[in-house]
Amino acid sequence: METPTKLRNIITINEFIRRQEMEADQATGELSGLLMDLVLASKIVNREVNKAGLVNILGSESTANASGETQMKLDVFANEQFIAALENGGHCLAVASEELDHLLTFDRARQRGAHYIVAMDPLDGSSNIDVNVSIGTIFSVFRVEPGKRVIMEDFFQPGRRMVAAGYILYGSSTMLVFTTGQGVNGFTLDPSIGEYCLSHADICIPEVGALYSVNEGNVPEMPPGVVAYLQECKTRHNPAGKVHSARYIGSLVADFHRNLLKGGIYLYPPTQKDPNGKLRLLYECAPLAFVCEQAGGMASDGERSVMDIVPEGLHQRCPLYIGSPRMVQRLLACLHG
Ligand code: P6P
């Protein structure tokens, strides 16, 4: 019997990951297993995100995260799901999370001789949860010595040494976008079969776009070069040759994803409240920088590539200018005169 055409053209994320593994020299299957653990957890989180308004999972927990920010119940739930999937999978030696003060280590993975560690923001944009705005998970994967008893310093690796990175966007549809250093691919969750299917193969960010994402309320506190750049965006005198549109959802993954597909720039500069910017290097800026660079884009902290910054703390913040290369280059020219 002929395979239905629709089924024949589906490439699930697990199939895609396995194919990449077969093409990689000396692949052990460990990274594939770890990525699939993240896929599983994201499906469970997606189920809860999609009904957050219907069950008693909204509203803030009494607890606070590592930065003292009130944790929404879905934050806590998502953190628990990704940790459980990574611990049970046995491919991850340790996890650093925005929701945890300190890293978590897993003995079974150490006994198995596993050699990967994960840094994650399990649910970014959580202030949007109870107003039904898109939110996201961001993750980065690094390598360490097999079976190592992981310490905090093992996470202090520059993005250049990242093995994989990606995000899940819980939006009008749920997408998982990731890279292992061989380009960027996007998968859309088909709830009818519970599978992520390849929907955006080999994503390349447009060299220039006419979208900018920034909290304009912070303009009075921003460096003059950033203010000058934003002024240019409001005229035709910019790399795009046209007046830009401001698009700021207040959810990093959603803003980044739109700019990745359409071309644009996301900016979170230093402010008086956050002199090093608000976003976290290890599990927000660096993984998105890896994805962005793999898609042909650029990511800078205003001085250097985000991928070259060596972290000195799990929750270290850094300014972020990320997106279409000609837009980031223009921003840097405005910053440095
Ligand atoms: P602001 C959400 O809290 C977040 O970490 C990002 O997802 C988002 O882009 C940014 O902060 C929004 O910050 O200061 O503009 O509300």
Side-chain angles (χ1 to χ4, degrees):
M1 183 183 84
E2 262 297 288
T3 307
T5 307
K6 192 164 172 1
L7 187 60
R8 202 168 44 230
N9 295 338
I10 289 178
I11 298 178
T12 65
I13 194 166
N14 287 16
E15 170 66 21
F16 183 91
I17 291 169
R18 283 288 178 220
R19 288 183 189 179
Q20 274 201 332
E21 174 195 327
M22 287 189 286
E23 289 159 11
D25 299 337
Q26 292 105 34
T28 63
E30 283 295 297
L31 180 60
S32 297
L34 187 152
L35 291 171
M36 289 178 198
D37 295 337
L38 293 170
V39 166
L40 172 64
S42 74
K43 290 178 182 177
I44 296 169
V45 171
N46 175 66
R47 183 189 61 199
E48 295 310 309
V49 163
N50 277 339
K51 61 182 183 183
L54 302 175
V55 298
N56 176 29
I57 201 161
L58 283 178
S60 304
E61 284 281 12
S62 55
T63 56
N65 68 14
S67 313
E69 294 159 344
T70 303
Q71 288 183 306
M72 307 294 282
K73 287 179 183 176
L74 218 42
D75 273 348
V76 177
F77 176 81
N79 193 49
E80 290 167 357
Q81 296 309 313
F82 282 99
I83 289 169
L86 290 169
E87 180 169 19
N88 297 338
H91 306 289
C92 175
L93 280 167
V95 172
S97 168
E98 177 169 47
E99 304 306 335
L100 299 175
D101 292 343
H102 308 294
L103 58 93
L104 277 182
T105 58
F106 303 130
D107 289 339
R108 191 166 81 83
R110 190 164 52 78
Q111 288 151 14
R112 290 186 66 254
H115 47 272
Y116 292 117
I117 57 178
V118 171
M120 66 176 184
D121 184 351
L123 210 58
D124 175 76
S126 52
S127 56
N128 291 309
I129 290 173
D130 50 358
V131 291
N132 204 20
V133 168
S134 301
I135 48 184
T137 298
I138 310 170
F139 63 88
S140 58
V141 184
F142 293 93
R143 184 181 284 107
V144 294
E145 295 153 42
K148 185 175 190 308
R149 195 178 291 277
V150 175
I151 58 175
M152 184 167 62
E153 286 69 15
D154 291 312
F155 282 90
F156 297 169
Q157 301 186 44
R160 295 266 173 246
R161 287 174 42 192
M162 216 174 280
V163 174
Y167 57 86
I168 297 98
L169 175 59
Y170 310 96
S172 49
S173 61
T174 296
M175 276 195 75
L176 192 154
V177 177
F178 81 100
T179 181
T180 56
Q182 306 160 73
V184 177
N185 291 279
F187 301 80
T188 300
L189 184 63
D190 179 341
S192 68
I193 58 174
E195 290 284 3
Y196 283 102
C197 302
L198 182 63
S199 54
H200 296 70
D202 194 21
I203 297 174
C204 294
I205 189 169
E207 270 221 327
V208 66
L211 298 174
Y212 72 93
S213 306
V214 71
N215 182 341
E216 303 247 22
N218 292 331
V219 161
E221 304 176 29
M222 290 181 189
V226 176
V227 177
Y229 176 76
L230 296 175
Q231 281 305 102
E232 263 190 26
C233 289
K234 298 176 171 85
T235 73
R236 287 182 293 105
H237 308 299
N238 52 56
K242 58 175 137 177
V243 175
H244 291 22
S245 295
R247 291 287 182 275
Y248 192 64
I249 299 170
S251 189
L252 171 60
V253 172
D255 280 317
F256 174 79
H257 181 72
R258 180 204 51 246
N259 294 348
L260 182 73
L261 298 187
K262 292 182 177 290
I265 184 170
Y266 173 101
L267 310 92
Y268 210 105
T271 62
Q272 279 158 13
K273 176 168 173 276
D274 293 307
N276 292 316
K278 174 183 181 184
L279 303 177
R280 311 292 179 173
L281 172 60
L282 194 59
Y283 42 75
E284 289 176 334
C285 301
L288 294 186
F290 189 21
V291 170
C292 194
E293 283 202 1
Q294 282 289 310
M298 266 184 86
S300 173
D301 70 348
E303 298 301 326
R304 61 207 147 150
S305 166
V306 169
M307 296 286 279
D308 294 329
I309 304 174
V310 180
E312 294 167 5
L314 291 180
H315 304 291
Q316 173 177 331
R317 300 175 193 267
C318 87
L320 182 65
Y321 308 104
I322 187 169
S324 294
R326 287 183 56 202
M327 300 176 83
V328 176
Q329 286 159 0
R330 182 61 199 147
L331 175 278
L332 293 174
C334 289
L335 263 181
H336 299 297

